[in-house]
């Protein structure tokens, strides 16, 4: 007969305040992986266990699995790789979301004689084992294990009920963490791709202060040639340009949080150096905030510097067009706006050598003019490949 939720609560005999602290710690850890040691230690205390283990990923070939462990081990409480004998464990292929103990699976004699116990559990003081394989919507199957030494009591019906009570929150916390991690990873990839396209991005909060800027933006602002930071706020060098820039920013603030589609506005910013003007696009950041908050992204500013150098990957360029290293180097200099003669000087090669490289490049890429070569270089996917030896990064403004 299936136990009701109320019956599980009654059987678990868990203090409500303690339960609230544990659930809160699980969801805090879902938002910040550095906090997993807190609920893991709470679980260890709650079950009077010597080890509590979350096996996040079993190994394919090696003997190291990705896991979090509370107990006397190296890397305790952190997401780390630890030895995991997945080929010899008797706990494989368990029904998902069903709490089990060693006693459910085998006799005491079989457990003591198993190679898993003799080689792994016994030497670490592990005798009593309770666990559950947790099915998550997007992250596959995760393994939760609680252990005690032989001198401790066996896991009781109350312990099972307690584990069942915690299981839904543990599942949700793990799934939330994986979804957030995936979202953050994709965001980082998009940010890096934008940087490699030589597009500067600056994020402003609701007061106009700079929250974030990528590597390209840092370089532009450091030069203070057209755009600069004044008191943590973005300003243009010339008053007329600055008035227009601030108007666009105010318009974006006014649209922030509204359900209407984002509207991007653009302005050309003159540069005191006489270089080609910077092209600036301003738009609001869509917000799903349910409560008023401060210091959140409100506006994003995109800047394109026509004379800035590309962060294109030489490796991707070679793979796309089957170019030699010398031909690739010449292509990249031409894509950065240099003439053939200027590129030859920058690469410290003779002009005749540069012309010979250019003829070979034309043959391999199927183009006939230098302008056409630059166009296909800038418009190809090579522009979003990881730049060699460079890792674009964001920093707080």
């Amino acid at each position: 007969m299936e136990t009701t939720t109320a019956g599980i609560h009654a059987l678990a005999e868990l203090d409500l305040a303690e339960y609230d602290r544990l659930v809160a710690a699980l969801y805090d850890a879902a938002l910040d992986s550095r906090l997993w040691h807190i609920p893991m230690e709470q679980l260890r205390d709650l079950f009077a266990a010597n080890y509590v283990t979350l096996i996040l990923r079993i190994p394919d070939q090696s003997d190291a699995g990705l896991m979090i462990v509370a107990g006397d081990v190296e890397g305790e409480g952190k997401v780390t790789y630890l030895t995991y004998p997945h080929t010899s464990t008797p706990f494989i292929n368990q029904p998902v979301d069903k709490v089990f103990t060693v006693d459910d699976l085998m006799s005491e004699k079989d457990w003591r004689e198993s190679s898993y116990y003799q080689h792994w559990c016994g030497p670490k003081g592990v005798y009593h084992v309770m666990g559950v394989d947790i099915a998550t919507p997007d992250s596959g199957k995760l393994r939760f294990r609680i252990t005690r030494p032989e001198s401790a009591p066996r896991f009781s019906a109350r312990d099972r009920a307690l584990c069942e009570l915690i299981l839904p929150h543990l599942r949700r916390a793990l799934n939330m963490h994986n979804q957030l991690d995936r979202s953050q990873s994709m965001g980082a990839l998009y940010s890096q791709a934008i940087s490699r396209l030589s597009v500067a991005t600056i994020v402003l909060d609701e007061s106009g202060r700079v929250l974030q800027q990528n590597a390209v933006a840092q370089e532009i602002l450091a030069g203070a040639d057209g755009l600069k930071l004044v008191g943590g706020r973005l300003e243009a060098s010339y008053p007329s340009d600055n008035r227009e820039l601030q108007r666009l920013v105010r318009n974006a603030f006014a649209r922030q949080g509204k359900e209407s589609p984002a509207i991007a506005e653009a302005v050309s910013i003159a540069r005191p150096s006489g270089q080609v003007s910077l092209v600036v696009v301003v738009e609001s950041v869509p917000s799903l905030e349910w409560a008023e908050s401060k210091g959140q992204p409100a506006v994003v500013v995109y800047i394109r510097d026509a004379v800035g150098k590309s962060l294109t990957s030489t490796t991707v360029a070679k793979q796309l067009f089957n170019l030699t290293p010398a031909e690739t180097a010449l292509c990249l200099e031409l894509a950065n706006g240099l003439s053939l003669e200027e590129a030859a000087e920058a690469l410290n090669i003779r002009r005749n050598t540069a012309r010979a490289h250019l003829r070979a490049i034309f043959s391999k890429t199927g183009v006939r003019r230098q302008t056409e070569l630059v166009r296909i270089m800038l418009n190809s996917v090579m522009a979003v490949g990881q730049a060699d030896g460079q890792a674009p990064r964001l920093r707080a403004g």
Side-chain angles (χ1 to χ4, degrees):
M1 180 176 175
E2 189 172 319
T3 307
T4 64
T5 302
I8 292 173
H9 274 271
L11 187 58
E13 300 175 357
L14 184 60
D15 177 73
L16 185 58
E18 188 176 14
Y19 181 63
D20 285 345
R21 284 195 297 271
L22 175 59
V23 171
L26 284 171
Y27 291 122
D28 286 343
L31 300 176
D32 186 347
S33 60
R34 295 170 298 182
L35 301 179
W36 271 108
H37 67 282
I38 298 175
M40 293 293 284
E41 280 299 330
Q42 288 179 345
L43 288 166
R44 187 182 175 204
D45 292 340
L46 188 61
F47 287 97
N50 54 356
Y51 296 100
V52 173
T53 306
L54 266 174
I55 303 169
L56 306 175
R57 188 168 66 245
I58 62 172
D60 293 326
Q61 302 295 331
S62 67
D63 61 352
L66 188 65
M67 60 187 73
I68 308 172
V69 182
D72 186 17
V73 296
E74 185 178 353
E76 178 185 5
K78 299 178 181 178
V79 179
T80 187
Y81 285 93
L82 294 172
T83 300
Y84 178 63
H86 63 100
T87 56
S88 63
T89 175
F91 307 131
I92 58 173
N93 300 322
Q94 295 302 310
V96 294
D97 301 328
K98 182 178 181 181
V99 178
F100 65 85
T101 67
V102 172
D103 298 331
D104 298 331
L105 306 180
M106 65 188 74
S107 67
E108 182 176 351
K109 180 176 179 294
D110 289 340
W111 172 236
R112 289 185 182 277
E113 292 178 353
S114 68
S115 62
Y116 181 76
Y117 172 75
Q118 292 179 0
H119 290 96
W120 296 99
C121 296
K124 292 180 173 61
V126 169
Y127 183 77
H128 304 292
V129 179
M130 181 171 67
V132 59
D133 290 355
I134 305 170
T136 61
D138 300 315
S139 309
K141 186 165 65 174
L142 307 168
R143 295 154 180 83
F144 182 49
R145 304 289 185 260
I146 306 166
T147 67
R148 290 172 178 167
E150 188 172 0
S151 59
R154 295 177 182 274
F155 288 104
S156 63
R158 175 187 178 275
D159 293 321
R160 287 176 183 264
L162 195 53
C163 192
E164 290 179 18
L165 192 63
I166 294 164
L167 179 59
H169 297 290
L170 185 56
R171 181 192 300 110
R172 293 187 192 107
L174 290 167
N175 195 53
M176 281 172 57
H177 179 270
N178 284 325
Q179 288 181 331
L180 288 170
D181 184 64
R182 191 177 298 121
S183 176
Q184 289 169 354
S185 295
M186 291 303 297
L189 285 175
Y190 290 140
S191 176
Q192 291 169 13
I194 287 290
S195 290
R196 291 194 290 271
L197 289 169
S198 297
V199 175
T201 58
I202 301 174
V203 179
L204 311 179
D205 67 12
E206 71 288 339
S207 70
R209 295 186 66 85
V210 173
L211 283 178
Q212 294 177 336
Q213 51 185 298
N214 68 357
V216 184
Q218 292 172 27
E219 185 175 350
I220 291 174
L221 295 178
D225 186 19
L227 288 171
K228 57 188 176 181
L229 288 183
V230 178
R233 289 175 169 78
L234 185 65
E235 291 190 4
S237 297
Y238 293 117
S240 58
D241 288 344
N242 193 52
R243 284 193 295 271
E244 182 64 9
L245 174 64
Q246 302 310 321
R247 185 185 70 82
L248 267 54
V249 170
R250 287 194 300 272
N251 288 348
F253 285 152
R255 291 189 296 269
Q256 209 268 337
K258 294 185 177 180
E259 295 183 359
S260 56
I263 300 174
E265 294 187 285
V267 61
S268 180
I269 302 294
R271 307 170 76 168
S273 67
Q275 296 267 29
V276 177
S277 296
L278 297 169
V279 177
V280 176
V281 174
V282 181
E283 66 178 356
S284 61
V285 176
S287 174
L288 297 176
E289 293 286 344
W290 288 5
E292 185 178 352
S293 57
K294 302 296 183 182
Q296 298 299 312
V299 169
V300 62
V301 179
Y302 301 103
I303 308 164
R304 192 68 169 91
D305 180 4
V307 298
K309 284 196 171 184
S310 169
L311 299 179
T312 299
S313 165
T314 58
T315 301
V316 175
K318 285 189 289 185
Q319 292 172 343
L320 278 178
F321 303 112
N322 195 29
L323 304 178
T324 67
E327 291 164 357
T328 302
L330 179 62
C331 267
L332 296 183
E333 294 297 345
L334 295 176
N336 279 326
L338 299 186
S339 66
L340 185 62
E341 290 73 19
E342 290 170 336
E345 184 176 350
L347 296 171
N348 197 26
I349 60 176
R350 295 178 182 274
R351 292 183 182 180
N352 287 340
T353 303
R355 292 191 184 98
H357 288 333
L358 187 60
R359 287 194 296 271
I361 293 167
F362 283 170
S363 176
K364 292 178 180 180
T365 58
V367 302
R368 297 182 180 180
R369 294 189 301 274
Q370 187 173 321
T371 54
E372 189 177 356
L373 173 66
V374 172
R375 179 177 58 81
I376 67 165
M377 291 285 286
L378 295 178
N379 290 336
S380 72
V381 294
M382 62 176 274
V384 295
Q386 176 66 57
D388 305 300
Q390 298 195 37
R393 57 190 182 279
L394 292 176
R395 69 166 185 173

